Amino acid sequence: MAAPLRIQLTPEEDRLLLELSLDPRTHKKTRLWAMMVRLAAEGWTAPKIAQHFHKDRTTVYLVLRRFVREGLQGLAYRKPPGAPRKFTPEMAAFVEERLAEDRVWTAPQLAAALAERFGVRLAPKVVARHLRAMGYVWRRTRYVPLGKPTEEEVKAFAEEEGEAKRGRRRG
């Protein structure tokens, strides 16, 4: 059996740990870990600390070892690493270039363009989410003629619209 971890705190470290454990703006895990270290410094054993906080004793040992190794910085909560993001800054630049073109791009079209250019398959929903994060929003596209249309253009448009409503196509 390994020797128990002995933790000795300076008055300054004890004061900082107390502040950490009581500060509501500090991440809740950091507050918990600060309390664990203070109890260990008071002579509590890891199994007793684990029982007090309803945690596994291996968790307490990990926290105490990290504190011994890294000091107060070891108690700072760090988001656990995950899979790297598929949507890279290069892809964001590529999408911005496509959106600057004089045409309308939909999320499925952008997903296909990204797959072709980068070899990464992204669902259209994912592309739409990244577009919103980049500050783009989907607006229904309207085609509006420049200036006032002539009488012939109005008539031709009305005929096309009538055929489209009936479900017919012109040749």
Side-chain angles (χ1 to χ4, degrees):
M1 184 163 142
L5 287 169
R6 302 258 186 249
I7 295 185
Q8 297 199 0
L9 299 174
T10 64
E12 179 66 17
E13 286 177 326
D14 189 43
R15 184 186 63 76
L16 287 172
L17 286 171
L18 179 62
E19 286 177 11
L20 271 178
S21 64
L22 297 176
D23 186 5
R25 294 169 296 175
T26 304
H27 193 276
K28 65 181 181 178
K29 287 187 177 182
T30 301
R31 290 196 316 256
L32 174 69
W33 296 338
M35 287 185 269
M36 287 179 178
V37 171
R38 289 192 74 229
L39 289 176
E42 290 179 14
W44 286 41
T45 63
K48 188 175 177 185
I49 295 171
Q51 184 180 10
H52 179 73
F53 289 113
H54 305 287
K55 301 289 179 193
D56 192 68
R57 66 187 171 94
T58 56
T59 303
V60 177
Y61 281 122
L62 287 172
V63 169
L64 297 179
R65 283 191 201 111
R66 192 178 328 131
F67 177 77
V68 168
R69 192 175 57 247
E70 301 175 31
L72 287 172
Q73 289 80 20
L75 297 181
Y77 176 75
R78 296 177 284 250
K79 186 177 178 186
R85 292 190 172 271
K86 287 184 178 181
F87 194 81
T88 62
E90 293 82 25
M91 290 179 176
F94 175 77
V95 166
E96 284 184 343
E97 288 173 13
R98 297 291 82 78
L99 293 175
E101 294 174 359
D102 190 26
R103 72 166 270 191
V104 177
W105 286 89
T106 63
Q109 291 170 337
L110 284 170
L114 287 168
E116 182 180 316
R117 171 78 161 72
F118 294 99
V120 176
R121 298 176 69 100
L122 296 172
K125 277 185 168 182
V126 174
V127 173
R129 187 178 72 231
H130 285 290
L131 286 171
R132 280 191 301 277
M134 293 167 59
Y136 291 99
V137 292
W138 173 256
R139 298 276 186 225
R140 182 176 228 178
T141 56
R142 284 185 285 147
Y143 297 100
V144 180
L146 291 174
K148 191 171 182 179
T150 64
E151 219 173 284
E152 293 172 12
E153 289 173 333
V154 171
K155 195 174 186 181
F157 178 77
E159 286 177 23
E160 279 186 43
E161 185 180 28
E163 289 177 18
K165 286 181 180 179
R166 289 189 296 271
R168 295 188 196 141
R169 283 191 174 188
R170 220 187 325 170

PDB file of all heavy atoms in Angstrom, residues 160-171:
ATOM      1  N   GLU A 160     -46.208  33.463 -66.984  1.00  0.00           N
ATOM      2  CA  GLU A 160     -45.346  32.448 -66.362  1.00  0.00           C
ATOM      3  C   GLU A 160     -45.858  32.075 -64.975  1.00  0.00           C
ATOM      4  O   GLU A 160     -45.863  30.912 -64.591  1.00  0.00           O
ATOM      5  CB  GLU A 160     -43.910  32.961 -66.242  1.00  0.00           C
ATOM      6  CG  GLU A 160     -43.113  32.837 -67.511  1.00  0.00           C
ATOM      7  CD  GLU A 160     -41.662  33.233 -67.289  1.00  0.00           C
ATOM      8  OE1 GLU A 160     -41.085  32.833 -66.249  1.00  0.00           O
ATOM      9  OE2 GLU A 160     -41.129  33.937 -68.146  1.00  0.00           O
ATOM     10  N   GLU A 161     -46.278  33.069 -64.244  1.00  0.00           N
ATOM     11  CA  GLU A 161     -46.780  32.816 -62.896  1.00  0.00           C
ATOM     12  C   GLU A 161     -48.044  31.975 -62.951  1.00  0.00           C
ATOM     13  O   GLU A 161     -48.221  31.041 -62.165  1.00  0.00           O
ATOM     14  CB  GLU A 161     -47.052  34.143 -62.194  1.00  0.00           C
ATOM     15  CG  GLU A 161     -47.452  33.985 -60.738  1.00  0.00           C
ATOM     16  CD  GLU A 161     -47.715  35.325 -60.070  1.00  0.00           C
ATOM     17  OE1 GLU A 161     -48.111  36.288 -60.771  1.00  0.00           O
ATOM     18  OE2 GLU A 161     -47.537  35.389 -58.847  1.00  0.00           O
ATOM     19  N   GLY A 162     -48.925  32.271 -63.907  1.00  0.00           N
ATOM     20  CA  GLY A 162     -50.157  31.499 -64.053  1.00  0.00           C
ATOM     21  C   GLY A 162     -49.874  30.057 -64.415  1.00  0.00           C
ATOM     22  O   GLY A 162     -50.478  29.121 -63.878  1.00  0.00           O
ATOM     23  N   GLU A 163     -48.904  29.841 -65.330  1.00  0.00           N
ATOM     24  CA  GLU A 163     -48.535  28.473 -65.698  1.00  0.00           C
ATOM     25  C   GLU A 163     -47.902  27.739 -64.530  1.00  0.00           C
ATOM     26  O   GLU A 163     -48.149  26.550 -64.314  1.00  0.00           O
ATOM     27  CB  GLU A 163     -47.585  28.494 -66.897  1.00  0.00           C
ATOM     28  CG  GLU A 163     -48.256  28.887 -68.196  1.00  0.00           C
ATOM     29  CD  GLU A 163     -47.257  28.962 -69.345  1.00  0.00           C
ATOM     30  OE1 GLU A 163     -46.153  28.400 -69.205  1.00  0.00           O
ATOM     31  OE2 GLU A 163     -47.595  29.575 -70.359  1.00  0.00           O
ATOM     32  N   ALA A 164     -47.084  28.422 -63.780  1.00  0.00           N
ATOM     33  CA  ALA A 164     -46.422  27.793 -62.634  1.00  0.00           C
ATOM     34  C   ALA A 164     -47.449  27.394 -61.577  1.00  0.00           C
ATOM     35  O   ALA A 164     -47.347  26.330 -60.964  1.00  0.00           O
ATOM     36  CB  ALA A 164     -45.392  28.744 -62.030  1.00  0.00           C
ATOM     37  N   LYS A 165     -48.462  28.225 -61.396  1.00  0.00           N
ATOM     38  CA  LYS A 165     -49.493  27.904 -60.416  1.00  0.00           C
ATOM     39  C   LYS A 165     -50.316  26.708 -60.860  1.00  0.00           C
ATOM     40  O   LYS A 165     -50.802  25.945 -60.033  1.00  0.00           O
ATOM     41  CB  LYS A 165     -50.399  29.108 -60.178  1.00  0.00           C
ATOM     42  CG  LYS A 165     -49.744  30.192 -59.351  1.00  0.00           C
ATOM     43  CD  LYS A 165     -50.687  31.342 -59.118  1.00  0.00           C
ATOM     44  CE  LYS A 165     -50.016  32.414 -58.284  1.00  0.00           C
ATOM     45  NZ  LYS A 165     -50.880  33.563 -58.063  1.00  0.00           N
ATOM     46  N   ARG A 166     -50.483  26.542 -62.167  1.00  0.00           N
ATOM     47  CA  ARG A 166     -51.236  25.406 -62.686  1.00  0.00           C
ATOM     48  C   ARG A 166     -50.363  24.158 -62.783  1.00  0.00           C
ATOM     49  O   ARG A 166     -50.857  23.080 -63.050  1.00  0.00           O
ATOM     50  CB  ARG A 166     -51.829  25.747 -64.048  1.00  0.00           C
ATOM     51  CG  ARG A 166     -52.978  26.745 -63.970  1.00  0.00           C
ATOM     52  CD  ARG A 166     -53.675  26.895 -65.296  1.00  0.00           C
ATOM     53  NE  ARG A 166     -52.806  27.468 -66.329  1.00  0.00           N
ATOM     54  CZ  ARG A 166     -52.665  28.755 -66.578  1.00  0.00           C
ATOM     55  NH1 ARG A 166     -53.344  29.636 -65.875  1.00  0.00           N
ATOM     56  NH2 ARG A 166     -51.868  29.174 -67.540  1.00  0.00           N
ATOM     57  N   GLY A 167     -49.043  24.326 -62.625  1.00  0.00           N
ATOM     58  CA  GLY A 167     -48.142  23.182 -62.657  1.00  0.00           C
ATOM     59  C   GLY A 167     -47.627  22.858 -64.038  1.00  0.00           C
ATOM     60  O   GLY A 167     -47.115  21.768 -64.283  1.00  0.00           O
ATOM     61  N   ARG A 168     -47.754  23.742 -64.980  1.00  0.00           N
ATOM     62  CA  ARG A 168     -47.251  23.505 -66.317  1.00  0.00           C
ATOM     63  C   ARG A 168     -45.923  24.205 -66.483  1.00  0.00           C
ATOM     64  O   ARG A 168     -45.647  25.221 -65.863  1.00  0.00           O
ATOM     65  CB  ARG A 168     -48.233  24.043 -67.362  1.00  0.00           C
ATOM     66  CG  ARG A 168     -49.540  23.335 -67.376  1.00  0.00           C
ATOM     67  CD  ARG A 168     -50.348  23.814 -68.561  1.00  0.00           C
ATOM     68  NE  ARG A 168     -51.735  23.428 -68.361  1.00  0.00           N
ATOM     69  CZ  ARG A 168     -52.752  24.175 -68.664  1.00  0.00           C
ATOM     70  NH1 ARG A 168     -52.567  25.360 -69.186  1.00  0.00           N
ATOM     71  NH2 ARG A 168     -53.974  23.745 -68.471  1.00  0.00           N
ATOM     72  N   ARG A 169     -45.143  23.655 -67.391  1.00  0.00           N
ATOM     73  CA  ARG A 169     -43.875  24.289 -67.712  1.00  0.00           C
ATOM     74  C   ARG A 169     -43.874  24.695 -69.169  1.00  0.00           C
ATOM     75  O   ARG A 169     -44.447  24.032 -70.013  1.00  0.00           O
ATOM     76  CB  ARG A 169     -42.719  23.315 -67.497  1.00  0.00           C
ATOM     77  CG  ARG A 169     -42.361  23.127 -66.090  1.00  0.00           C
ATOM     78  CD  ARG A 169     -41.085  22.385 -66.034  1.00  0.00           C
ATOM     79  NE  ARG A 169     -40.634  22.309 -64.667  1.00  0.00           N
ATOM     80  CZ  ARG A 169     -39.489  21.851 -64.314  1.00  0.00           C
ATOM     81  NH1 ARG A 169     -38.654  21.399 -65.227  1.00  0.00           N
ATOM     82  NH2 ARG A 169     -39.134  21.808 -63.070  1.00  0.00           N
ATOM     83  N   ARG A 170     -43.169  25.756 -69.419  1.00  0.00           N
ATOM     84  CA  ARG A 170     -43.011  26.196 -70.785  1.00  0.00           C
ATOM     85  C   ARG A 170     -41.770  25.535 -71.359  1.00  0.00           C
ATOM     86  O   ARG A 170     -40.741  25.481 -70.702  1.00  0.00           O
ATOM     87  CB  ARG A 170     -42.871  27.703 -70.863  1.00  0.00           C
ATOM     88  CG  ARG A 170     -43.644  28.223 -72.037  1.00  0.00           C
ATOM     89  CD  ARG A 170     -43.501  29.637 -72.371  1.00  0.00           C
ATOM     90  NE  ARG A 170     -43.332  30.575 -71.270  1.00  0.00           N
ATOM     91  CZ  ARG A 170     -43.011  31.826 -71.456  1.00  0.00           C
ATOM     92  NH1 ARG A 170     -42.812  32.288 -72.656  1.00  0.00           N
ATOM     93  NH2 ARG A 170     -42.875  32.622 -70.453  1.00  0.00           N
ATOM     94  N   GLY A 171     -41.846  25.005 -72.558  1.00  0.00           N
ATOM     95  CA  GLY A 171     -40.936  24.298 -73.357  1.00  0.00           C
ATOM     96  C   GLY A 171     -39.546  24.272 -73.137  1.00  0.00           C
ATOM     97  O   GLY A 171     -38.627  23.761 -73.226  1.00  0.00           O
TER      98      GLY A 171
END
